[in-house]
Structure formats: C-alpha cells, structure tokens
Amino acid sequence: MRFDTKIAIIVRDDLAIWQKLNVASFLAGGLVGSYPELAGERYRDGSGRLYGPLVRQPILIFAATGSELTRSLSRAIERGLDCSLYTAELFTTGHDADNRAAVAGVITDALDLVGLGFHAARKDIDKVTKGLALHG
C-alpha cells in the first residue's frame, strides 16, 4: 500500500545510542498525539488476546548533523509544516512541563536541535529531508 503521506523522524547523528532511541520514541509519540489518525487498530492474536495499536504506516528515520536539522526545520517552516521537536536541553529535564519551558526559553534560530518529527504529504517530506540519508 502506498500512502499519500510520509512520517519522517530526523535524529542528530552524534548522539549516544540510548539518546537516539529516546529522541525517536518521544517524537513518534508526539506525532501520534498530534495526528491521532496515525494509530492503527488494536492487534488480536490467535488466542483472542488484545494488544495495543501500532502506527499505521512506516516511519522513515534519517540521520543528520546539527546544521542539517536546522536546515530541515527551516524548510518545514517555509512550507508551513507542523513538526515535533526535541532539543539537547530536554535530556536534562524531568517532565513535560520542564521540557516545554526549556524550549520556550530559546528563539527558533538558537534551538539546539537533536530531533525533528514530521507527518505530511509525501512531496513535502521529500523536500524537508532532501540530502539526508536514512539512519544506518
């Protein structure tokens, strides 16, 4: 099945593995919170046991440098796209209210981005992620 939209997560390539996984997880959760239609149906195994839903379509995860993340955010803003973000400061905060306060204290051009998450039309995601490689 080919979707009209894409889900893309961009993670800074110089992070520790646990940080990359943390960033990708938070961003995926943020995207489903912003776009509830991304959640598929619950799963049921052959014994009738129910499991939680998964995201309904593939998530592309890209690697980027800090400057590439900044460029991707600029491209998204130019196209009027919403995104989820994760900044380096969020590794030092303890909960959502502190996270939002940390982001609110920094102007857009000075954000120390470590991750971005997008759900948009395929062509828009392709423009935002142009030049980035899938995470390896």
Side-chain angles (χ1 to χ4, degrees), residues 6 60 62 75 121-131:
K6 280 187 178 179
L60 302 170
F62 295 89
R75 289 175 175 173
R122 298 176 66 81
K123 65 181 176 76
D124 289 327
I125 296 298
D126 290 344
K127 296 284 187 183
V128 168
T129 59
K130 185 176 181 179

Side-chain angles (χ1 to χ4, degrees), residues 31-110:
L31 290 171
V32 173
S34 295
Y35 305 96
E37 69 274 13
L38 290 179
E41 298 293 322
R42 292 179 63 88
Y43 284 71
R44 180 185 312 268
D45 69 18
S47 300
R49 181 174 303 277
L50 289 176
Y51 302 91
L54 300 176
V55 174
R56 68 182 173 109
Q57 70 187 83
I59 300 173
L60 302 170
I61 301 181
F62 295 89
T65 64
S67 62
E68 288 171 329
L69 277 160
T70 299
R71 183 184 69 213
S72 294
L73 179 58
S74 294
R75 289 175 175 173
I77 291 169
E78 289 169 6
R79 287 166 178 72
L81 301 182
D82 287 332
C83 71
S84 296
L85 73 117
Y86 202 102
T87 65
E89 293 81 11
L90 303 188
F91 290 123
T92 65
T93 58
H95 54 80
D96 194 45
D98 285 348
N99 291 350
R100 288 192 311 276
V103 172
V106 182
I107 63 169
T108 305
D109 292 340

